[in-house]
Amino acid sequence: MRCSRRSRPYVPLLASPGGDDLRAIPLSERRRRLLALVEAMAAPEITVTPGTIDRDLALSWLGQSRIEGVVAKRLDGPYLEGERTPNLPTATGAI
């Protein structure tokens, strides 16, 4: 079976181009920096995973079968290497 789209790896932004460790800053700020970095690079082969705080938009993505799953993260949380966000429910299922 062949896929018509190339898969792209997901790489979280954990360090800045200047070498600063970004793990302790909130996800919202890491994401803002990642979007700015990718835009500045002007490299069409690099895309940022879509994200939203709009529940209806996220559900529409699921309905269009454009995505394989959902990852929910706290926007104010740091990067927790090898850990799940405390007190955040998890679920696994098929759609």
Side-chain angles (χ1 to χ4, degrees), residues 12-66:
L13 182 63
L14 302 178
S16 70
D20 298 327
D21 185 347
L22 304 180
R23 290 178 289 186
I25 67 173
L27 171 61
S28 57
E29 177 62 15
R30 291 192 319 271
R31 182 170 176 82
R32 185 194 67 74
R33 291 185 189 196
L34 176 62
L35 291 167
L37 177 65
V38 170
E39 183 178 329
M41 292 172 59
E45 67 277 7
I46 299 175
T47 58
V48 177
T49 304
T52 185
I53 59 171
D54 182 321
R55 182 181 186 274
D56 291 334
L57 178 58
L59 289 173
S60 76
W61 291 342
L62 286 171
Q64 296 170 18
S65 300
R66 291 181 51 207

